[in-house]
Structures are given as structure tokens and as C-alpha cells.
Amino acid sequence: MDSATSDATPGPAPDVTPDPGHGPSVAGPRPQLATTADNGLKIVVVGGFGVGKTTLVRSVSEIRPLNTEETMTRAGEEVDDTSAVGTKTATTVAFDFGRITLDAHNVLYLFGAPGQERFWFLWDRLFSGTLGAVVLVDTRRIADSWYAIDRLEHHGTPFIVACNDFGGPAHTEAEIREALDLGEHVPLVECDARDRSSSKYVLITLIEHLRTQVARATPQALQETPV
Amino acid sequence: MSPRRTGPGPLSHRDESPDRLYTVTGGRTRSGPDTPFDLVTLVVTESEPAPGMQSEHAAILRLCRRPTAVVEVAAELGLPVGITRILLSDLLDTGRISARHPRTQAGGPGGYRLPDPDILEQVLVGLRNL
Ligand SMILES: Nc1nc2c(ncn2[C@@H]2O[C@H](COP(=O)(O)OP(=O)(O)O)[C@@H](O)[C@H]2O)c(=O)[nH]1
Ligand SMILES: [Mg+2]
């Protein structure tokens, strides 16, 4: 399937190479969901290659991160058609994901997705219905995340920025905000994607940010109306 | 060295020809204009595999005895999501599976819709309990 992947990625599974040795990888059979599970939710983790997307997903996921792929046309339509794969109009993108059972009904899926410009026409469709996004940033390579942030802003998808500490020179929050041209309202946190509680905190920060957005979008009068 | 160039992933179909995928779907190319399967739609088996059933269909029915998201089905079967949706449509049409769709409404094309506040509370509670 050369034509399926040549346009999309340097190799058949570019962003999902297993790198055992970090985080609590889950051994044994895949834990199953409760029979009551009935509501799947999505969060997207975007960022450049090697920034720690898979690591973050793994550190909070109850399953070992799995990977799969989706084929889309340039127009952003999903392609179920294997013959279209041979044409220049189809692109295959690989992504990995993990899972968190939240309660008896809700199951959260975390998708790790490469943030390169050439992948972005896919995401609108692939991740429609997502709660929000985490942009992972390596402060040594800040420019890698510019495009992802542009795209999320354009699409109106709420996001937070999490800076992975790779031991580069320390930057102040103001410096990072300026380098990212980040609005005041966008939360910026530090994290260690290898650490479960740190990754959990990143996700909580995103959901709290969404809650703030919802409160802002709800007219005051409505909030104060007695039931 | 870049970690992204270390080689192919574990998915079996990646080494296979499009012919094999064509065979899996019986040559069909689409699961319908309004495919109801989101990536996180949870699929549940309603009837056990029957003898003589296509092996991918039987594999899905075994996998989804407990709720399993579309994207997990694709990953476990080693098939692209699009092909997986076609196979799921077959099973849904014949009543062998049911589908639990996400309650979070997707925004329109290119649009985002804020989630329901109650759902956000439930997600927060779930994450804090991790
Ligand atoms: N120092 C440090 N290393 C990290 C962190 N997160 C990930 N890494 C390492 O960076 C490498 C690439 O991470 P990976 O998750 O595969 O990146 P991805 O390409 O974005 O999925 C791995 O060797 C990780 O162990 C972090 O927060 N701090
Ligand atoms: Mg990765």
C-alpha cells in the first residue's frame, strides 16, 4: 500500500512507535469496559514528533496505547474506499489512543495526533465532537506547535498548553506566552508526561478551562434564574 | 535519530495489499452516506458468531461482548477505521450489534460546540478519582 502512506507519513506507523521503558505500561489482557458504559468522550493531544504525546496518553491510560489509521480525502471526507487510496486525493494518517473509564457510563478516549501542518486538514473531521485539546510543547522547539495552535484557534476548539520539561533552559511563563502568541485566557501549565499525576493534572486543567468557557457562554440571567 | 523512523507498527494490514481489504468488505466502498459510527461510538454484541460467518464479522462479535469503541475495534482487528465502519454497518443492519453513540454533540463542519456542563462535571469527578 505504498500509495496509501507515501503521501501521509515517513513510514507506515510514524507516530506510534512503541517505546517501552517509560510509564506504567499495562500488561496482560486488555481490561474490558463495564456493560453499562454508554458514552464515549474524546480529548486530543497534539504536538510535534517526540514531544511526549504517546507518553502522556500511556501514563494515564488504563490500556496500553493502541494505534490505528484513518484515510481521508483532501476535501476532508472520510474514505472507506480502498481504491481511492491509490489516488493522490487520499491520505492516510496514523494516530494512537488510550482510554480512561470515568464512571459507570462515561469513557474518555485520549488521541495522540501529530501536529504537522500537512496533517491538519484531517483533524476537523477525525476529531469532531472532541471536548477540547492539549497542545504539548517542548520549549526547545516552540515553533513546532505554532501551526497546531493556529489551527485550533481557527476551528474554535478550546485548548490548553502543557510544556513538557526536557531539561532545556528555563523560560518564564511570560516568555513562553509571547513565543506562542498565546492569549491570556489560555491556561499554560508545566508537566512531565511520564508522570501519571502530572498528566492527570493536565487533563483536569483542560476540563476546568472548558467549564470556564461554558460559564462565560451562558448568559448571567440564565444562571441566576431560580428553578 | 528520530523515533518516527524506527519502522512499521504492529498492524497486520499495513503489509497487505489493497486486494485483501477489498475482499474483507466484499468490494463495497462505503458504509453509507451518514455512517453512524463515531470513533468513540461503543459497539455491543447482540448475538454470538454463527458458523460460516465472515471471520472479521465473527471477530467483532467476540470482541464486543463488552462495550468496545469503534477505534478499539479497528486497532484490535488491525484494520483502518473506514473498513471497520463498513463491517460494523453490516452487523448493525442485521441486528447482530447495537451502537451506543456519544452524547456529546459534534459541532457542524468546521465548528465546535461546547459540551454540556453536566458532562464536564462528570468528567472532572472521574479524572479526580483516578
Ligand atoms: N524529560 C522528559 N522526557 C519526556 C517527557 N515526555 C516524554 N519524554 C520522552 O520523550 C520521548 C518521546 O516521547 P513520545 O511520547 O514518544 O513522543 P510523541 O512522538 O509526541 O508521541 C520518549 O523517550 C519519552 O520518554 C517529559 O515530560 N520529560
Ligand atoms: Mg507518539
Side-chain angles (χ1 to χ4, degrees):
Chain A
M1 289 183 62
D2 273 359
S3 52
T5 49
S6 60
D7 189 33
T9 59
D15 197 51
V16 290
T17 310
D19 51 347
H22 336 273
S25 61
V26 182
R30 197 174 58 97
Q32 295 188 305
L33 293 178
T35 52
T36 48
D38 62 4
N39 190 36
L41 298 152
K42 289 179 254 189
I43 288 176
V44 186
V45 181
V46 286
F49 284 117
V51 78
K53 301 180 295 294
T54 304
T55 305
L56 187 145
V57 169
R58 182 187 297 114
S59 72
V60 286
S61 176
E62 67 201 22
I63 57 171
R64 184 178 51 80
L66 297 169
N67 67 80
T68 187
E69 62 183 38
E70 179 133 58
T71 301
M72 315 279 282
T73 65
R74 288 259 172 241
E77 283 166 15
E78 179 197 344
V79 176
D80 294 333
D81 184 347
T82 51
S83 66
V85 150
T87 73
K88 284 265 184 253
T89 57
T91 295
T92 298
V93 62
F95 54 96
D96 53 9
F97 64 93
R99 187 181 84 194
I100 299 171
T101 296
L102 295 168
D103 56 42
H105 294 281
N106 294 302
V107 190
L108 177 61
Y109 287 86
L110 299 175
F111 292 95
Q116 281 74 3
E117 181 162 358
R118 63 206 178 101
F119 294 109
W120 268 95
F121 68 96
L122 301 162
W123 302 143
D124 287 355
R125 168 67 190 261
L126 192 51
F127 298 124
S128 79
T130 184
L131 294 172
V134 173
V135 179
L136 264 187
V137 172
D138 174 352
T139 52
R140 300 167 304 174
R141 296 178 294 152
I142 277 191
D144 281 7
S145 47
W146 285 345
Y147 193 80
I149 289 176
D150 274 356
R151 188 68 191 189
L152 288 165
E153 282 176 345
H154 174 79
H155 187 250
T157 299
F159 64 94
I160 66 160
V161 174
C163 291
N164 239 351
D165 181 10
F166 283 96
H171 299 275
T172 65
E173 178 174 336
E175 283 168 347
I176 296 170
R177 279 190 185 277
E178 194 188 329
L180 291 173
D181 194 17
L182 205 60
E184 272 302 308
H185 64 286
V186 179
L188 173 67
V189 296
E190 285 179 358
C191 80
D192 185 332
R194 299 163 299 181
D195 181 68
R196 180 177 164 88
S197 60
S198 180
S199 299
K200 174 180 150 179
Y201 172 71
V202 168
L203 298 179
I204 288 174
T205 304
L206 172 65
I207 303 300
E208 284 176 339
H209 176 54
L210 293 173
R211 209 167 51 163
T212 309
Q213 304 280 104
V214 169
R216 253 188 220 151
T218 310
Q220 199 66 20
L222 264 179
Q223 285 180 40
E224 285 170 4
T225 303
V227 200
Chain B
M1 188 180 66
S2 165
R4 68 193 153 108
R5 295 190 189 268
T6 46
L11 295 195
S12 55
H13 77 274
R14 284 177 177 150
D15 298 328
E16 295 183 38
S17 69
D19 289 350
R20 187 243 167 183
L21 297 179
Y22 185 88
T23 307
V24 165
T25 60
R28 282 152 312 132
T29 56
R30 288 202 169 256
S31 54
D34 301 306
T35 174
F37 294 104
D38 190 273
L39 285 177
V40 299
T41 291
L42 296 170
V43 177
V44 184
T45 297
E46 296 294 340
S47 72
E48 285 299 305
M53 188 177 262
Q54 186 182 338
S55 65
E56 287 82 6
H57 285 152
I60 292 172
L61 294 181
R62 282 191 298 270
L63 188 61
C64 299
R65 286 181 182 132
R66 298 284 280 274
T68 307
V70 169
V71 71
E72 290 178 275
V73 175
E76 293 284 341
L77 264 57
L79 290 169
V81 173
I83 302 291
T84 303
R85 284 192 171 112
I86 296 175
L87 296 168
L88 290 170
S89 295
D90 296 341
L91 294 168
L92 189 67
D93 289 348
T94 53
R96 291 195 163 88
I97 58 167
S98 56
R100 301 174 181 176
H101 301 296
R103 288 199 284 271
T104 310
Q105 290 281 306
Y112 171 83
R113 192 179 298 172
L114 276 167
D116 185 83
D118 293 339
I119 289 286
L120 287 181
E121 279 315 315
Q122 290 163 26
V123 175
L124 261 186
V125 169
L127 287 175
R128 288 193 176 123
N129 286 339
L130 273 188

Short mmCIF file of all heavy atoms in Angstrom, two decimals, chain A residues 51 56 134-139 160-177 180 182 186-206:
data_model
loop_
_atom_site.label_atom_id
_atom_site.label_comp_id
_atom_site.label_asym_id
_atom_site.label_seq_id
_atom_site.Cartn_x
_atom_site.Cartn_y
_atom_site.Cartn_z
N VAL A 51 7.44 14.94 21.27
CA VAL A 51 7.16 15.91 22.33
C VAL A 51 6.56 15.25 23.57
O VAL A 51 6.51 15.85 24.63
CB VAL A 51 6.27 17.04 21.78
CG1 VAL A 51 4.82 16.60 21.68
CG2 VAL A 51 6.40 18.29 22.62
N LEU A 56 2.28 10.77 27.40
CA LEU A 56 1.19 11.31 28.22
C LEU A 56 -0.02 10.37 28.18
O LEU A 56 -0.61 10.05 29.22
CB LEU A 56 0.80 12.71 27.75
CG LEU A 56 -0.22 13.45 28.63
CD1 LEU A 56 0.08 14.94 28.66
CD2 LEU A 56 -1.66 13.22 28.17
N VAL A 134 -5.20 19.31 24.17
CA VAL A 134 -3.98 19.65 24.89
C VAL A 134 -2.89 19.82 23.84
O VAL A 134 -2.66 18.91 23.05
CB VAL A 134 -3.58 18.54 25.87
CG1 VAL A 134 -2.20 18.83 26.49
CG2 VAL A 134 -4.63 18.35 26.95
N VAL A 135 -2.24 21.00 23.83
CA VAL A 135 -1.09 21.19 22.95
C VAL A 135 0.16 20.97 23.79
O VAL A 135 0.42 21.71 24.74
CB VAL A 135 -1.07 22.60 22.33
CG1 VAL A 135 0.16 22.76 21.43
CG2 VAL A 135 -2.35 22.86 21.53
N LEU A 136 0.89 19.93 23.44
CA LEU A 136 2.14 19.64 24.16
C LEU A 136 3.28 20.40 23.49
O LEU A 136 3.41 20.37 22.27
CB LEU A 136 2.45 18.15 24.12
CG LEU A 136 2.03 17.27 25.31
CD1 LEU A 136 2.58 15.86 25.12
CD2 LEU A 136 2.48 17.86 26.63
N VAL A 137 4.07 21.08 24.32
CA VAL A 137 5.15 21.91 23.79
C VAL A 137 6.47 21.52 24.44
O VAL A 137 6.53 21.34 25.65
CB VAL A 137 4.85 23.41 24.07
CG1 VAL A 137 6.04 24.28 23.71
CG2 VAL A 137 3.60 23.87 23.31
N ASP A 138 7.48 21.38 23.61
CA ASP A 138 8.86 21.25 24.09
C ASP A 138 9.48 22.64 23.92
O ASP A 138 9.59 23.13 22.80
CB ASP A 138 9.58 20.19 23.23
CG ASP A 138 11.07 20.08 23.55
OD1 ASP A 138 11.59 20.92 24.32
OD2 ASP A 138 11.69 19.15 23.03
N THR A 139 9.84 23.25 25.04
CA THR A 139 10.27 24.66 24.97
C THR A 139 11.56 24.84 24.17
O THR A 139 11.93 25.95 23.82
CB THR A 139 10.47 25.26 26.38
OG1 THR A 139 11.33 24.40 27.13
CG2 THR A 139 9.14 25.41 27.08
N ILE A 160 -5.60 23.89 26.01
CA ILE A 160 -4.61 24.42 26.94
C ILE A 160 -3.23 24.03 26.40
O ILE A 160 -3.13 23.17 25.52
CB ILE A 160 -4.78 23.87 28.37
CG1 ILE A 160 -4.50 22.36 28.40
CG2 ILE A 160 -6.19 24.16 28.89
CD1 ILE A 160 -4.19 21.85 29.79
N VAL A 161 -2.20 24.69 26.92
CA VAL A 161 -0.83 24.36 26.51
C VAL A 161 -0.10 23.76 27.70
O VAL A 161 -0.16 24.29 28.81
CB VAL A 161 -0.09 25.62 26.01
CG1 VAL A 161 1.38 25.30 25.73
CG2 VAL A 161 -0.77 26.19 24.77
N ALA A 162 0.52 22.62 27.47
CA ALA A 162 1.32 21.97 28.52
C ALA A 162 2.76 21.88 28.03
O ALA A 162 3.03 21.34 26.96
CB ALA A 162 0.77 20.57 28.81
N CYS A 163 3.67 22.44 28.82
CA CYS A 163 5.09 22.40 28.46
C CYS A 163 5.74 21.21 29.14
O CYS A 163 5.80 21.13 30.36
CB CYS A 163 5.79 23.68 28.91
SG CYS A 163 5.28 25.12 27.98
N ASN A 164 6.23 20.31 28.32
CA ASN A 164 6.95 19.16 28.81
C ASN A 164 8.36 19.59 29.19
O ASN A 164 9.01 20.28 28.42
CB ASN A 164 7.04 18.12 27.69
CG ASN A 164 6.41 16.82 28.10
OD1 ASN A 164 6.07 16.63 29.25
ND2 ASN A 164 6.26 15.94 27.14
N ASP A 165 8.82 19.18 30.34
CA ASP A 165 10.16 19.58 30.76
C ASP A 165 11.19 18.58 30.27
O ASP A 165 11.30 17.47 30.78
CB ASP A 165 10.20 19.69 32.29
CG ASP A 165 11.59 20.12 32.76
OD1 ASP A 165 12.41 20.51 31.91
OD2 ASP A 165 11.83 20.06 33.97
N PHE A 166 11.94 18.96 29.25
CA PHE A 166 13.00 18.11 28.73
C PHE A 166 14.37 18.59 29.21
O PHE A 166 15.39 18.23 28.63
CB PHE A 166 12.97 18.08 27.20
CG PHE A 166 11.88 17.20 26.65
CD1 PHE A 166 10.66 17.75 26.26
CD2 PHE A 166 12.07 15.84 26.52
CE1 PHE A 166 9.66 16.95 25.75
CE2 PHE A 166 11.06 15.03 26.01
CZ PHE A 166 9.86 15.58 25.62
N GLY A 167 14.37 19.43 30.24
CA GLY A 167 15.63 19.87 30.79
C GLY A 167 16.34 20.96 29.99
O GLY A 167 17.53 21.19 30.17
N GLY A 168 15.62 21.60 29.10
CA GLY A 168 16.20 22.73 28.38
C GLY A 168 16.31 23.93 29.30
O GLY A 168 15.94 23.86 30.48
N PRO A 169 16.83 25.04 28.79
CA PRO A 169 16.95 26.24 29.61
C PRO A 169 15.57 26.68 30.10
O PRO A 169 14.57 26.55 29.40
CB PRO A 169 17.55 27.28 28.67
CG PRO A 169 17.45 26.72 27.30
CD PRO A 169 17.31 25.24 27.42
N ALA A 170 15.52 27.17 31.31
CA ALA A 170 14.25 27.58 31.89
C ALA A 170 13.74 28.86 31.21
O ALA A 170 14.51 29.74 30.85
CB ALA A 170 14.43 27.83 33.39
N HIS A 171 12.43 28.90 31.00
CA HIS A 171 11.80 30.10 30.45
C HIS A 171 10.73 30.56 31.42
O HIS A 171 10.09 29.75 32.07
CB HIS A 171 11.15 29.79 29.10
CG HIS A 171 12.10 29.33 28.06
ND1 HIS A 171 12.81 30.19 27.27
CD2 HIS A 171 12.46 28.09 27.67
CE1 HIS A 171 13.57 29.51 26.45
NE2 HIS A 171 13.39 28.22 26.66
N THR A 172 10.51 31.85 31.48
CA THR A 172 9.40 32.34 32.28
C THR A 172 8.11 32.09 31.52
O THR A 172 8.12 31.93 30.29
CB THR A 172 9.52 33.84 32.57
OG1 THR A 172 9.40 34.53 31.32
CG2 THR A 172 10.85 34.17 33.21
N GLU A 173 7.02 32.08 32.28
CA GLU A 173 5.72 31.90 31.63
C GLU A 173 5.48 33.00 30.60
O GLU A 173 4.99 32.73 29.50
CB GLU A 173 4.60 31.91 32.69
CG GLU A 173 3.24 31.77 32.04
CD GLU A 173 2.09 31.63 33.02
OE1 GLU A 173 2.33 31.19 34.17
OE2 GLU A 173 0.97 31.95 32.63
N ALA A 174 5.89 34.22 30.94
CA ALA A 174 5.68 35.34 30.02
C ALA A 174 6.44 35.11 28.71
O ALA A 174 5.92 35.40 27.62
CB ALA A 174 6.11 36.65 30.67
N GLU A 175 7.64 34.59 28.81
CA GLU A 175 8.43 34.32 27.61
C GLU A 175 7.75 33.29 26.71
O GLU A 175 7.69 33.44 25.49
CB GLU A 175 9.84 33.82 27.99
CG GLU A 175 10.77 34.92 28.46
CD GLU A 175 12.05 34.36 29.10
OE1 GLU A 175 12.11 33.14 29.40
OE2 GLU A 175 12.97 35.15 29.30
N ILE A 176 7.25 32.24 27.36
CA ILE A 176 6.60 31.18 26.57
C ILE A 176 5.31 31.70 25.94
O ILE A 176 5.05 31.46 24.76
CB ILE A 176 6.32 29.95 27.46
CG1 ILE A 176 7.64 29.36 27.94
CG2 ILE A 176 5.52 28.91 26.70
CD1 ILE A 176 7.49 28.29 29.01
N ARG A 177 4.55 32.44 26.71
CA ARG A 177 3.31 33.02 26.16
C ARG A 177 3.60 33.89 24.95
O ARG A 177 2.88 33.86 23.95
CB ARG A 177 2.58 33.85 27.21
CG ARG A 177 1.75 33.02 28.16
CD ARG A 177 0.84 33.88 29.03
NE ARG A 177 0.17 33.02 29.99
CZ ARG A 177 -0.93 32.33 29.72
NH1 ARG A 177 -1.51 32.42 28.54
NH2 ARG A 177 -1.46 31.55 30.63
N LEU A 180 4.59 31.86 21.92
CA LEU A 180 3.45 31.14 21.34
C LEU A 180 2.35 32.10 20.89
O LEU A 180 1.37 31.66 20.29
CB LEU A 180 2.87 30.16 22.36
CG LEU A 180 3.73 28.94 22.73
CD1 LEU A 180 3.09 28.18 23.88
CD2 LEU A 180 3.91 28.02 21.52
N LEU A 182 0.23 33.50 22.80
CA LEU A 182 -0.88 32.84 23.47
C LEU A 182 -1.76 33.85 24.20
O LEU A 182 -1.25 34.66 24.96
CB LEU A 182 -0.30 31.83 24.48
CG LEU A 182 -1.13 30.64 24.88
CD1 LEU A 182 -1.46 29.80 23.65
CD2 LEU A 182 -0.37 29.81 25.90
N VAL A 186 -5.83 31.47 27.81
CA VAL A 186 -5.46 30.07 27.57
C VAL A 186 -4.52 29.58 28.67
O VAL A 186 -3.43 30.12 28.83
CB VAL A 186 -4.75 29.90 26.19
CG1 VAL A 186 -4.36 28.45 25.97
CG2 VAL A 186 -5.65 30.41 25.07
N PRO A 187 -4.95 28.57 29.44
CA PRO A 187 -4.09 28.08 30.51
C PRO A 187 -2.77 27.51 29.97
O PRO A 187 -2.75 26.86 28.93
CB PRO A 187 -4.92 26.97 31.17
CG PRO A 187 -6.33 27.28 30.81
CD PRO A 187 -6.26 27.90 29.44
N LEU A 188 -1.70 27.81 30.71
CA LEU A 188 -0.37 27.30 30.36
C LEU A 188 0.18 26.60 31.59
O LEU A 188 0.30 27.21 32.65
CB LEU A 188 0.53 28.46 29.95
CG LEU A 188 2.01 28.18 29.69
CD1 LEU A 188 2.20 27.32 28.47
CD2 LEU A 188 2.78 29.49 29.53
N VAL A 189 0.47 25.30 31.46
CA VAL A 189 0.97 24.55 32.61
C VAL A 189 2.25 23.82 32.24
O VAL A 189 2.53 23.58 31.06
CB VAL A 189 -0.07 23.52 33.14
CG1 VAL A 189 -1.31 24.23 33.65
CG2 VAL A 189 -0.45 22.52 32.04
N GLU A 190 3.02 23.48 33.27
CA GLU A 190 4.19 22.62 33.05
C GLU A 190 3.78 21.20 33.34
O GLU A 190 2.89 20.96 34.16
CB GLU A 190 5.33 23.03 33.99
CG GLU A 190 6.01 24.30 33.57
CD GLU A 190 7.13 24.69 34.53
OE1 GLU A 190 7.33 23.97 35.53
OE2 GLU A 190 7.79 25.69 34.25
N CYS A 191 4.44 20.24 32.68
CA CYS A 191 4.13 18.86 33.02
C CYS A 191 5.31 17.94 32.75
O CYS A 191 6.26 18.30 32.07
CB CYS A 191 2.89 18.38 32.26
SG CYS A 191 3.21 17.89 30.57
N ASP A 192 5.23 16.78 33.35
CA ASP A 192 6.11 15.68 33.00
C ASP A 192 5.21 14.56 32.52
O ASP A 192 4.52 13.92 33.31
CB ASP A 192 6.94 15.24 34.20
CG ASP A 192 7.96 14.17 33.84
OD1 ASP A 192 7.71 13.41 32.87
OD2 ASP A 192 9.00 14.10 34.50
N ALA A 193 5.20 14.36 31.20
CA ALA A 193 4.25 13.42 30.61
C ALA A 193 4.46 12.00 31.10
O ALA A 193 3.58 11.16 30.98
CB ALA A 193 4.34 13.47 29.09
N ARG A 194 5.65 11.73 31.67
CA ARG A 194 5.93 10.38 32.15
C ARG A 194 5.26 10.11 33.49
O ARG A 194 5.16 8.96 33.93
CB ARG A 194 7.45 10.18 32.29
CG ARG A 194 8.19 10.35 30.98
CD ARG A 194 9.67 10.56 31.21
NE ARG A 194 9.91 11.78 32.01
CZ ARG A 194 11.12 12.22 32.35
NH1 ARG A 194 12.19 11.55 31.98
NH2 ARG A 194 11.24 13.33 33.06
N ASP A 195 4.83 11.19 34.13
CA ASP A 195 4.28 11.08 35.48
C ASP A 195 2.75 11.10 35.43
O ASP A 195 2.14 12.03 34.92
CB ASP A 195 4.80 12.26 36.32
CG ASP A 195 4.28 12.20 37.73
OD1 ASP A 195 4.69 11.28 38.47
OD2 ASP A 195 3.45 13.05 38.10
N ARG A 196 2.16 10.07 36.00
CA ARG A 196 0.71 9.91 35.90
C ARG A 196 -0.04 11.08 36.53
O ARG A 196 -0.98 11.61 35.94
CB ARG A 196 0.32 8.60 36.59
CG ARG A 196 -1.16 8.30 36.58
CD ARG A 196 -1.38 6.94 37.23
NE ARG A 196 -2.76 6.72 37.61
CZ ARG A 196 -3.68 6.21 36.80
NH1 ARG A 196 -3.35 5.90 35.57
NH2 ARG A 196 -4.91 6.04 37.22
N SER A 197 0.38 11.51 37.72
CA SER A 197 -0.39 12.57 38.37
C SER A 197 -0.20 13.90 37.63
O SER A 197 -1.11 14.73 37.56
CB SER A 197 -0.01 12.70 39.85
OG SER A 197 1.35 12.98 39.98
N SER A 198 0.97 14.09 37.03
CA SER A 198 1.20 15.30 36.26
C SER A 198 0.30 15.31 35.00
O SER A 198 -0.33 16.31 34.67
CB SER A 198 2.68 15.38 35.85
OG SER A 198 2.93 16.54 35.09
N SER A 199 0.21 14.18 34.33
CA SER A 199 -0.64 14.08 33.13
C SER A 199 -2.11 14.24 33.50
O SER A 199 -2.89 14.87 32.78
CB SER A 199 -0.41 12.74 32.44
OG SER A 199 0.93 12.62 32.04
N LYS A 200 -2.47 13.66 34.64
CA LYS A 200 -3.85 13.79 35.13
C LYS A 200 -4.18 15.27 35.39
O LYS A 200 -5.25 15.75 35.02
CB LYS A 200 -3.95 12.96 36.41
CG LYS A 200 -5.25 13.06 37.15
CD LYS A 200 -5.19 12.17 38.40
CE LYS A 200 -6.06 12.73 39.51
NZ LYS A 200 -6.07 11.89 40.72
N TYR A 201 -3.23 15.97 35.97
CA TYR A 201 -3.42 17.40 36.24
C TYR A 201 -3.62 18.18 34.95
O TYR A 201 -4.43 19.11 34.88
CB TYR A 201 -2.22 17.94 37.04
CG TYR A 201 -2.22 19.44 37.21
CD1 TYR A 201 -3.14 20.07 38.05
CD2 TYR A 201 -1.32 20.23 36.49
CE1 TYR A 201 -3.14 21.43 38.18
CE2 TYR A 201 -1.32 21.61 36.63
CZ TYR A 201 -2.22 22.20 37.47
OH TYR A 201 -2.24 23.57 37.60
N VAL A 202 -2.89 17.82 33.90
CA VAL A 202 -3.04 18.47 32.59
C VAL A 202 -4.48 18.30 32.09
O VAL A 202 -5.13 19.26 31.65
CB VAL A 202 -2.04 17.89 31.56
CG1 VAL A 202 -2.39 18.34 30.15
CG2 VAL A 202 -0.61 18.29 31.92
N LEU A 203 -5.00 17.09 32.20
CA LEU A 203 -6.37 16.83 31.72
C LEU A 203 -7.39 17.59 32.56
O LEU A 203 -8.35 18.16 32.03
CB LEU A 203 -6.66 15.33 31.75
CG LEU A 203 -5.77 14.46 30.86
CD1 LEU A 203 -6.15 12.99 31.00
CD2 LEU A 203 -5.85 14.89 29.40
N ILE A 204 -7.18 17.62 33.87
CA ILE A 204 -8.10 18.35 34.74
C ILE A 204 -8.08 19.84 34.40
O ILE A 204 -9.13 20.50 34.36
CB ILE A 204 -7.74 18.09 36.23
CG1 ILE A 204 -8.13 16.65 36.60
CG2 ILE A 204 -8.43 19.10 37.15
CD1 ILE A 204 -7.71 16.22 38.00
N THR A 205 -6.89 20.36 34.13
CA THR A 205 -6.78 21.78 33.75
C THR A 205 -7.59 22.07 32.49
O THR A 205 -8.27 23.10 32.40
CB THR A 205 -5.29 22.16 33.53
OG1 THR A 205 -4.54 21.85 34.70
CG2 THR A 205 -5.15 23.64 33.21
N LEU A 206 -7.54 21.15 31.53
CA LEU A 206 -8.32 21.35 30.30
C LEU A 206 -9.81 21.37 30.62
O LEU A 206 -10.54 22.26 30.15
CB LEU A 206 -8.02 20.25 29.28
CG LEU A 206 -8.92 20.27 28.04
CD1 LEU A 206 -8.70 21.55 27.21
CD2 LEU A 206 -8.71 19.04 27.16
#
